[in-house]
Amino acid sequence: MVTRNKRKLGDVLKEGGLITEQEIVQVLEHKKPRQKLGDALVEQGYITERQLLEVLEIHLKINSVSLYRFPIDSDLMELVPKEFAKENTLLPIEQRENILTVAMNDPLDYYAIDYLELSTGFTVKPVIATKDDIQQAINKYYDVENGYTDEAIEDEDAPAIRVLDQILQTGITLKASDIHIDPAETKLNVRYRVDGMLRTEKTVPKKLQNALIARVKILSQLNITETRLPQDGRIRLMIDTKPVDLRIATLPTVYGEKIVIRILDLTNIFKTLTELDFSEDTLDRYGKVIKKPSGLVLLTGPTGSGKTTTLYGSINELNQEDVNIITVEDPVEYQLEGINQVQVNSTVGLTFAKGLRSILRQDPNIIMVGEIRDRETAEIAIRSALTGHLVFSTLHTNSAIAAIPRLFDMEIEPYLVVSALSAVMAQRLVKKVCPDCKTARPITEMEKKIVASRGLEMDEVYEGVGCDSCRHTGYRGRLAIHELLVVDDNVKKLMMNHSDMSEMKVYLQDNNMRFLLEDGLFKVKQGLTTIDEVLRVATEE
């Protein structure tokens, strides 16, 4: 075992000028039990993971590696137990003579280094890699022999169980929202939707198809023998000590059943409104709207624009012991403490409208209707809002203003819509610039015109140049952009007069309503996203 000059991370970071002693004390006070200082600093926003790695690289003279491109020797996995690798975020990647190179997220973890030297008999040479990079490599290289290329799999369930565990763990590590298991003629493709984009991550041998699909169906309590009709189910599992809810949907295709697994991130749904990317003025106005005792609040946007997260965030904000909150949803995505949730079931005739009628007999203060799909549901929701209830729901329209003609098109009496509607909020999700490779560049003439047309000024914009943390995409994570239409007396007059929507838009612009495009550009100015991303989801009307 090598004798080392053992240094503390805090001292290295102070030496690098990234953090002060006082800040370290504050972070230690608020960090989670058993959480490492480096992780706590990144989580609490004092430094980025890239800054952390750069300081360690410079001050400890330890190289950093990109595992994404490194030719890793998978035989080395036998030297280090998988659980130890996961717990300590490390991976053996190369062995030459008596030196074992180990990629570590924390190269100052001397306990782990000493353990590896004692258990393997090699001298450990640590190199630095990002946490995500190591976790993805662990999922990729451990069990790979047993999982995918085992020849003796004809009657065994064990490989299918291992493969499914690995597929799910990779999904959690990648922070994917969905996993697609697509049967092809000679193989199964596994694709992950990360930050809204699908990408193929691995393939599974065709001979594992039946066992794998059966495993998913058993876990989600679906009918194993039914292969000709689509089925829906759900599972709650512990993956890497985290509780995860999974929604399962099967679909018969030419080459067998396709499975889509929606990963419901339980940490995301319990966010407060202040954590939902609202601009300060929008948050202030929306907070006032939902504090009113009655009225209809609509959220609009396409599927996957974060409407559910905002709805639950709003309800969490209002969830007190002295209010009765009831929801009717299809499906109930997240079970919330202290809230009565009803699942729509059309096979037994429990529709949104029927569920909503029953809810009104349960003495509610606040009602959430998952979606207004038809005239009957819309009418009951509006009448509920007029009889002293605060009602939340969603509509599929492209903008906040477009929700008004949509309600009128449902042949509801205009005076009811005008009296009940309190606010409409449209939202979209845009990809965030990766904080680890974010760089400024001068704004182009074309971009300058777009920005100027919305009354903003910028000399430079930020973009990600691509690094290991973001898999060289330049983006990591997503954030929401919003537009909030608050129905005041003038908007009510315009609605009653069936004014043209362009007339309403002019009025709202004159009264400083921030539209999707403006909110997006405002977030571009803050360095959070790019103009390309904003234009992708919010075009000029």
Side-chain angles (χ1 to χ4, degrees):
M1 203 153 62
V2 179
T3 307
R4 290 183 183 82
N5 172 21
K6 297 192 175 182
R7 300 178 67 191
K8 289 186 173 174
L9 177 63
D11 296 336
V12 174
L13 291 173
K14 280 189 291 183
E15 203 177 301
L18 274 187
I19 198 156
T20 64
E21 180 68 39
Q22 194 181 352
E23 286 170 329
I24 290 175
V25 171
Q26 284 174 338
V27 170
L28 291 173
E29 277 174 14
H30 295 104
K31 81 178 184 70
K32 295 169 188 164
R34 298 184 63 194
Q35 188 180 31
K36 290 186 174 178
L37 175 62
D39 291 342
L41 286 164
V42 172
E43 190 179 287
Q44 292 179 35
Y46 283 91
I47 54 172
T48 66
E49 190 173 16
R50 173 58 48 202
Q51 285 174 316
L52 178 63
L53 298 194
E54 280 171 2
V55 164
L56 292 174
E57 199 173 351
I58 294 162
H59 287 265
L60 300 178
K61 296 184 173 50
I62 297 176
N63 295 333
S64 69
V65 293
S66 165
L67 301 183
Y68 188 47
R69 297 172 172 177
F70 196 89
I72 294 171
D73 180 356
S74 57
D75 293 341
L76 296 175
M77 303 309 131
E78 290 174 17
L79 295 173
V80 181
K82 183 181 179 183
E83 286 313 308
F84 185 82
K86 279 170 71 173
E87 203 174 306
N88 295 282
T89 320
L90 54 83
L91 187 82
I93 59 171
E94 189 178 62
Q95 182 235 319
R96 286 190 183 164
E97 295 172 356
N98 71 327
I99 293 174
L100 180 67
T101 303
V102 180
M104 302 182 74
N105 183 237
D106 178 7
L108 295 173
D109 186 346
Y110 301 113
Y111 159 75
I113 294 171
D114 291 348
Y115 170 85
L116 289 176
E117 291 190 335
L118 282 169
S119 63
T120 65
F122 292 115
T123 299
V124 167
K125 174 189 166 191
V127 291
I128 308 169
T130 65
K131 194 173 187 175
D132 282 355
D133 218 3
I134 294 172
Q135 286 174 340
Q136 285 167 34
I138 288 171
N139 287 333
K140 187 174 176 182
Y141 290 100
Y142 275 94
D143 292 344
V144 71
E145 291 303 312
N146 304 335
Y148 289 4
T149 55
D150 189 349
E151 292 304 316
I153 59 173
E154 301 308 319
D155 308 313
E156 288 185 38
D157 286 334
I161 292 169
R162 272 200 299 271
V163 170
L164 182 62
D165 286 352
Q166 212 172 326
I167 287 170
L168 294 176
Q169 277 181 343
T170 302
I172 298 297
T173 306
L174 289 171
K175 298 182 177 68
S177 59
D178 302 87
I179 303 171
H180 291 238
I181 301 173
D182 296 325
E185 192 172 1
T186 57
K187 61 188 176 186
L188 283 175
N189 290 318
V190 181
R191 295 187 294 165
Y192 295 89
R193 189 176 293 284
V194 179
D195 295 340
M197 311 302 270
L198 264 180
R199 63 181 194 220
T200 303
E201 198 69 23
K202 54 181 82 179
T203 58
V204 178
K206 186 75 173 173
K207 52 192 168 185
L208 270 177
Q209 179 172 316
N210 291 343
L212 188 62
I213 289 168
R215 174 70 182 156
V216 174
K217 285 184 167 182
I218 289 165
L219 284 173
S220 48
Q221 299 181 328
L222 298 179
N223 182 351
I224 282 195
T225 58
E226 181 55 80
T227 57
R228 296 166 303 167
L229 291 172
Q231 297 185 67
D232 292 308
R234 66 187 304 155
I235 319 169
R236 177 168 276 199
L237 292 175
M238 293 295 284
I239 299 176
D240 290 345
T241 69
K242 290 181 198 157
V244 180
D245 264 11
L246 306 172
R247 276 224 324 264
I248 311 296
T250 71
L251 182 74
T253 71
V254 183
Y255 296 118
E257 287 176 280
K258 171 183 166 76
I259 290 177
V260 174
I261 301 170
R262 162 68 58 92
I263 300 173
L264 301 173
D265 182 354
L266 297 175
T267 55
N268 203 33
I269 215 61
F270 298 112
K271 283 186 171 176
T272 60
L273 289 180
T274 50
E275 297 172 295
L276 293 178
D277 314 313
F278 283 108
S279 301
E280 210 171 306
D281 55 338
T282 308
L283 177 61
D284 185 49
R285 289 162 64 231
Y286 185 66
K288 284 174 184 163
V289 165
I290 67 170
K291 293 288 189 316
K292 290 181 179 176
S294 65
L296 175 63
V297 178
L298 290 177
L299 266 73
T300 79
T303 306
S305 57
K307 298 189 298 291
T308 306
T309 304
T310 305
L311 274 179
Y312 280 123
S314 309
I315 282 175
N316 277 338
E317 194 88 1
L318 303 168
N319 187 10
Q320 306 286 336
E321 197 183 327
D322 58 353
V323 292
N324 180 16
I325 302 177
I326 308 182
T327 75
V328 53
E329 302 168 66
D330 181 23
V332 171
E333 293 205 16
Y334 301 90
Q335 278 114 21
L336 297 175
E337 187 86 20
I339 291 172
N340 308 286
Q341 294 170 279
V342 177
Q343 166 85 44
V344 165
N345 186 345
S346 23
T347 51
V348 296
L350 179 52
T351 59
F352 274 122
K354 210 164 194 176
L356 193 42
R357 277 208 181 88
S358 311
I359 282 175
L360 290 169
R361 295 193 285 273
Q362 295 284 325
D363 182 33
N365 301 92
I366 297 166
I367 300 167
M368 182 184 110
V369 186
E371 191 185 334
I372 291 178
R373 291 180 185 167
D374 52 49
R375 180 191 164 182
E376 193 183 2
T377 310
E379 197 156 321
I380 304 165
I382 283 169
R383 288 188 185 277
S384 308
L386 289 172
T387 52
H389 304 96
L390 181 59
V391 182
F392 290 94
S393 192
T394 67
L395 260 187
H396 283 281
T397 62
N398 285 332
S399 66
I401 294 177
I404 294 169
R406 171 64 61 86
L407 290 172
F408 287 161
D409 290 347
M410 288 179 170
E411 296 176 4
I412 297 162
E413 291 291 346
Y415 74 91
L416 290 177
V417 177
V418 172
S419 310
L421 194 62
S422 293
V424 186
M425 184 158 68
Q427 71 175 68
R428 299 286 189 282
L429 293 179
V430 291
K431 297 202 286 284
K432 277 164 94 168
V433 173
C434 171
D436 288 344
C437 59
K438 180 171 160 177
T439 49
R441 66 161 172 81
I443 191 166
T444 66
E445 284 305 313
M446 174 75 89
E447 289 169 338
K448 211 172 251 182
K449 279 179 191 165
I450 295 165
V451 168
S453 73
R454 294 290 163 156
L456 284 168
E457 275 182 37
M458 289 181 223
D459 295 321
E460 57 180 25
V461 287
Y462 290 88
E463 60 187 14
V465 292
C467 65
D468 300 337
S469 304
C470 60
R471 314 276 287 196
H472 299 276
T473 61
Y475 295 103
R476 200 172 80 197
R478 288 191 290 176
L479 82 154
I481 60 173
H482 308 90
E483 66 180 26
L484 177 63
L485 189 171
V486 177
V487 180
D488 61 17
D489 290 342
N490 287 322
V491 171
K492 286 184 179 184
K493 272 182 203 156
L494 290 165
M495 284 166 72
M496 275 311 284
N497 296 336
H498 284 285
S499 299
D500 191 66
M501 288 303 120
S502 57
E503 198 181 323
M504 188 176 288
K505 188 170 183 181
V506 169
Y507 165 74
L508 292 166
Q509 269 171 335
D510 291 346
N511 282 269
N512 301 322
M513 174 173 155
R514 185 182 281 165
F515 291 88
L516 279 173
L517 192 60
E518 277 131 20
D519 195 43
L521 292 174
F522 184 68
K523 282 163 181 167
V524 168
K525 191 171 184 174
Q526 292 173 300
L528 299 172
T529 187
T530 62
I531 291 178
D532 285 351
E533 265 300 287
V534 173
L535 293 178
R536 182 177 66 81
V537 299
T539 50
E540 293 257 19
E541 285 178 17

